[in-house]
Amino acid sequence: MAPISTPQTPFGRVLTAMVTPFTADGALDLDGAQRLATHLVDAGNDGLVVNGTTGESPTTTDAEKSQLVRAVLEAVGDRAHVVAGIGTNDTHHTLELARAAERDGAHGLLAVTPYYNKPPQEGLYRHFSAIADATELPVMLYDIPGRSGVPIDTETIVRLAEHPRIVANKDAKGDLGRASWAIARSGLAWYSGDDMLNLPLLSVGACGFVSVVGHVVTPELRALLEAHLAGDVQKATEVHQRLLPVFTGMFRTQGVITTKAALALQGLPAGPLRLPLVELSEQETAQLKVDLAAGGVQL
């Protein structure tokens, strides 16, 4: 059965931004990717983002990106939304990746704000519009100024929302006030891209999450979401507070690093990292174990 979507939840509600497993020698581990994707969907994810930052997209080749999309679709594409990260700071290259993702069968596209070259808002508008024009796939914007250097202003989000294929935004801006206005004015489906703010963003109109900690606590994230949707604020708050050590621990350093370490501790596919990312030290791993245990994660 194909994954269910609505205009309010075009990619589902609980998505994990999946790591890209590698073999011991650093090659793409497609079997591991399929096993991890299956585990995550079995745990309660109704969507996965592949080839995002958490998937180490800056250090995977275009061919590897296509292989990964196809492998994950083969494993879980009939049960979950598979969204392909295609964003770069080169519009031409981004369009090539978008068209490749469409050919590979992806259900949607995640387009991050162009990074490093710091375009003005008009440049952002033209960049994202070109992505939406390039394929027939629905697009989720990804607003993360801490990485890109440039926020997508509310006025730009409102303009972009007029495009029929720009349907959602992943919000890692960390500004609830600006999120409130953008949600109200754009009508886009809003996904939290900052795990610590999952519950606060729900309270101002978000529909779900694109999570990193979903690798280890998807059932808890779904419980939080369902409590909120049911109007049980106390239960949602209790779940949020129980997860605080996990939110903290998984972001003491770069999130891919801690996620792969956490997966390895659970015996799940992850493998090494590609430089410039490096593995946790023994001391950092010990601290991660403490943080995860404090949040109820079984290792």
Side-chain angles (χ1 to χ4, degrees):
M1 184 177 71
I4 297 171
S5 64
T6 72
Q8 293 75 34
T9 59
F11 304 107
R13 289 190 181 275
V14 179
L15 297 86
T16 290
M18 198 179 93
V19 301
T20 299
F22 298 126
T23 61
D25 62 358
L28 188 63
D29 181 3
L30 293 176
D31 176 70
Q34 291 188 319
R35 287 187 286 123
L36 179 59
T38 299
H39 167 79
L40 291 172
V41 173
D42 288 346
N45 283 281
D46 44 23
L48 297 174
V49 172
V50 298
N51 295 327
T53 310
T54 309
E56 295 179 75
S57 59
T59 55
T60 57
T61 67
D62 291 2
E64 287 174 327
K65 288 177 172 64
S66 283
Q67 292 169 31
L68 186 63
V69 169
R70 293 195 297 268
V72 172
L73 280 163
E74 181 181 5
V76 299
D78 60 339
R79 298 193 291 141
H81 300 270
V82 178
V83 180
I86 48 85
T88 76
N89 62 349
D90 171 1
T91 303
H92 178 74
H93 186 201
T94 300
L95 300 186
E96 291 180 340
L97 292 174
R99 294 181 183 117
E102 183 178 43
R103 289 193 299 271
D104 295 330
H107 299 134
L109 306 174
L110 178 72
V112 71
T113 311
Y115 40 84
Y116 187 73
N117 42 15
K118 301 182 76 171
Q121 292 301 306
E122 181 62 24
L124 296 185
Y125 174 78
R126 296 186 193 184
H127 173 83
F128 289 122
S129 296
I131 294 168
D133 287 339
T135 79
E136 296 300 317
L137 295 177
V139 176
M140 181 189 298
L141 309 174
Y142 183 12
D143 187 8
I144 183 165
R147 287 185 183 274
S148 68
V150 177
I152 312 175
D153 288 351
T154 300
E155 295 298 330
T156 306
I157 291 172
V158 172
R159 287 179 70 197
L160 289 166
E162 296 175 1
H163 196 293
R165 283 188 290 277
I166 296 177
V167 299
N169 183 58
K170 177 184 175 185
D171 184 354
K173 190 177 279 174
D175 188 326
L176 292 173
R178 292 167 85 175
S180 299
W181 275 111
I183 292 168
R185 294 184 56 206
S186 71
L188 293 178
W190 213 261
Y191 291 85
S192 170
D194 184 343
D195 280 303
M196 187 67 83
L197 296 182
N198 284 345
L199 180 57
L201 279 165
L202 287 178
S203 73
V204 298
C207 69
F209 323 127
V210 177
S211 174
V212 173
V213 303
H215 284 91
V216 293
V217 291
T218 287
E220 291 79 3
L221 292 180
R222 185 159 288 282
L224 185 157
L225 176 69
E226 291 176 353
H228 174 81
L229 293 173
D232 192 340
V233 176
Q234 181 176 346
K235 181 178 179 181
T237 302
E238 289 172 354
V239 175
H240 169 76
Q241 292 178 348
R242 285 201 304 272
L243 290 176
L244 289 174
V246 180
F247 297 153
T248 298
M250 291 286 281
F251 293 100
R252 287 187 186 275
T253 186
Q254 209 270 0
V256 184
I257 296 173
T258 48
T259 299
K260 285 199 164 181
L263 291 171
L265 290 170
Q266 293 187 310
L268 291 166
L273 300 122
R274 289 183 176 176
L275 287 170
L277 301 184
V278 295
E279 284 72 20
L280 291 182
S281 67
E282 289 186 10
Q283 181 178 358
E284 289 170 326
T285 300
Q287 179 63 59
L288 179 62
K289 291 179 180 178
V290 170
D291 292 330
L292 295 177
V297 177
Q298 299 296 315
L299 300 175

